């Protein structure tokens, strides 16, 4: 992980994919929430049955 001097990640935003079996995968890491959301929206728009969402590193999804 690339970090700054104070330990903050330079790419703190993740796009996560969850398949129909509940398995979760990291799609990519991004510098801004807007950039990550753009990718998640693009993937969601493909019409498949997978879920995609944006999450900041160090935070946990409820129910995870």
């Amino acid at each position: 992980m690339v970090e700054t001097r104070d330990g903050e990640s330079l790419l703190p935003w993740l796009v996560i994919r969850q398949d129909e079996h509940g398995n979760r995968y990291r799609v990519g890491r991004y510098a801004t929430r807007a950039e990550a959301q753009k990718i998640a929206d693009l993937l969601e728009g493909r019409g498949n049955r997978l879920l995609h969402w944006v999450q900041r590193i160090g935070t946990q999804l409820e129910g995870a």
Side-chain angles (χ1 to χ4, degrees), residues 40-64:
D41 292 345
L42 178 69
L43 294 170
E44 279 290 308
R46 291 187 176 172
N48 56 32
R49 294 177 37 175
L50 304 176
L51 297 173
H52 295 87
W53 66 87
V54 172
Q55 182 177 334
R56 188 171 175 91
I57 290 176
T59 60
Q60 213 174 20
L61 188 67
E62 287 184 30

Side-chain angles (χ1 to χ4, degrees), residues 6-47:
D6 61 1
E8 288 290 317
S9 173
L10 294 177
L11 301 172
W13 294 98
L14 304 174
V15 173
I16 307 293
R17 177 182 76 214
Q18 182 172 314
D19 67 19
E20 60 274 0
H21 303 291
N23 300 310
R24 295 177 180 173
Y25 305 93
R26 183 175 67 199
V27 174
R29 293 178 57 171
Y30 303 91
T32 66
R33 179 177 178 80
E35 183 182 14
Q37 190 63 57
K38 182 178 177 180
I39 298 300
D41 292 345
L42 178 69
L43 294 170
E44 279 290 308
R46 291 187 176 172

